[in-house]
Every structure is written in C-alpha cells, then in structure tokens.
Amino acid sequence: MVSKNHLLQFKAGRCFRDGTTDTVKPDATKGLVFMDEEDGLMHFYWKNRDTNNVDDDLILFPGDAELIAVPQCTTGRVLVLQFKSSSQKLFFWLQEANADRDQIILQQANALINQNEDGNDEDVLME
C-alpha cells in the first residue's frame, strides 16, 4: 500500500477540538504523519505508531490545503492542515525531539501539496 521511503515524514500526534470551543487538546497517542504520491495524487497520512494502523488517509489536491503552525499555541508545537475548499481543519502536535526542523517540515509539506498546482510535475527536492 505505502512505500517505506516516504516523500516526507515526521512524528506528530493529533489534537482534537475541546467541545465547541476554539481550543484544541493533544491526544497522547504517538503518531507519524507521512506524505506519498500514489496514482498521481498526493496522500497525507496519519499513522498510530503504537498499533501501526493508518487512521487518516487524505487526498490533497494542489492548492487546496496548507499546513501551518498555530501561532496562538504558546505551550507546544501545533500545526493545522487547513483546507481552502471547506472549513475542515486537522490539528497535529509535533513529537519530533528537535524543534529546529519545524519550519523545514512546513516548507516541504506545502511544497508537496502545491507541486502540481502550476502544471509543474517536477519532483520536490527533499533534504
């Protein structure tokens, strides 16, 4: 189903909204976000690292989503995958030990999401 050499991967847990508020709470489950291209479509996955089950498999169309840091979060490193065609938002908290790569993760994820937006099929260079 999914290759072991992903285009991008990083350790991240999920966060869920606290009721009807704008507050999100982290879920303690260890997770892994990874991105792969299958059949010409970009997939954004979230996998439970304890069970190895893929719980989320989203197809991202070029220009339809953006992964951004949540500036209101002052107690951790929270990201939101925000869709432009709907109000859907998925929240993740970074579980990578080194925060130095946070901006690189965001840049690479967004480059992968948008790589075919202008009709350009060139691969994104990963470090």
Side-chain angles (χ1 to χ4, degrees):
M1 174 184 123
V2 176
S3 68
K4 292 185 181 188
N5 294 321
H6 306 298
L7 296 174
L8 175 66
Q9 73 175 30
F10 55 93
K11 295 175 185 173
R14 295 185 291 182
C15 296
F16 298 100
R17 282 189 188 255
D18 186 16
T20 58
T21 70
D22 285 338
T23 303
V24 294
K25 301 255 181 191
D27 181 70
T29 306
K30 294 178 183 177
L32 182 74
V33 168
F34 59 96
M35 295 176 70
D36 280 319
E37 188 174 350
E38 294 181 25
D39 299 324
L41 299 171
M42 188 58 62
H43 288 256
F44 185 97
Y45 297 95
W46 184 84
K47 178 172 85 169
N48 181 316
R49 288 190 285 143
D50 292 328
T51 65
N52 254 357
N53 289 336
V54 173
D55 291 349
D56 292 319
D57 175 3
L58 303 165
I59 294 174
L60 303 179
F61 295 99
D64 186 42
E66 184 178 18
L67 188 66
I68 57 174
V70 177
Q72 295 88 344
C73 178
T74 59
T75 58
R77 295 153 46 216
V78 175
L79 307 178
V80 60
L81 181 64
Q82 185 170 312
F83 291 85
K84 298 174 183 174
S85 62
S86 72
S87 61
Q88 183 179 12
K89 295 178 182 178
L90 298 173
F91 294 89
F92 303 92
W93 62 281
L94 288 170
Q95 296 173 332
E96 293 286 344
N98 187 351
D100 294 343
R101 288 190 35 88
D102 291 3
Q103 284 303 315
I104 294 169
I105 289 169
L106 289 171
Q107 289 169 355
Q108 291 178 347
N110 287 312
L112 287 168
I113 293 169
N114 294 309
Q115 75 176 344
N116 292 325
E117 185 174 24
D118 58 3
N120 185 356
D121 288 340
E122 289 183 28
D123 290 338
V124 176
L125 179 62
M126 294 289 124
E127 292 182 358

